[in-house]
Amino acid sequence: VNTPGSDSAVTDGIVIEVTEPIVPCSNLCTLHYINSPELTPVQRIEKCQAFLGELGIAAGFRGWYATVVGGDASGVSNGNAGGGVVKVGDSIMAA
């Protein structure tokens, strides 16, 4: 599990630092599963609070914010001058 301040290496030699966990937002309560028309307003609120609470404590359900701290973040090695690119599916390893 990542923790704020931990470093990870990403493809192309880019190094990122985990800065903070992503906190679940109340926009998730608009999902049909929670905001079902069959539920009363009180039931919707209770279901939303329980859902957000579970997302907030369950490991692996949410992601992390990170910042680039080292490596070839310029993107010059891959022809992308002006910034490195980390794509969905890139492998990330503990540094």
Side-chain angles (χ1 to χ4, degrees):
V1 176
N2 288 317
T3 56
S6 66
D7 286 351
S8 297
V10 185
T11 56
D12 287 336
I14 297 170
V15 178
I16 60 172
E17 178 184 312
V18 173
T19 55
E20 62 184 291
I22 295 174
V23 177
C25 137
S26 62
N27 286 336
L28 293 170
C29 293
T30 62
L31 296 170
H32 182 72
Y33 162 76
I34 294 169
N35 203 16
S36 173
E38 293 84 34
L39 298 175
T40 68
V42 170
Q43 289 172 317
R44 290 179 191 178
I45 291 169
E46 289 171 348
K47 200 162 193 177
C48 176
Q49 290 172 334
F51 181 67
L52 294 178
E54 185 63 30
L55 283 178
I57 61 170
F61 280 157
R62 302 300 298 165
W64 296 85
Y65 290 108
T67 186
V68 176
V69 294
D72 186 18
S74 68
V76 174
S77 69
N78 63 16
N80 184 20
V85 177
V86 179
K87 300 176 293 301
V88 172
D90 281 352
S91 58
I92 299 175
M93 303 160 270

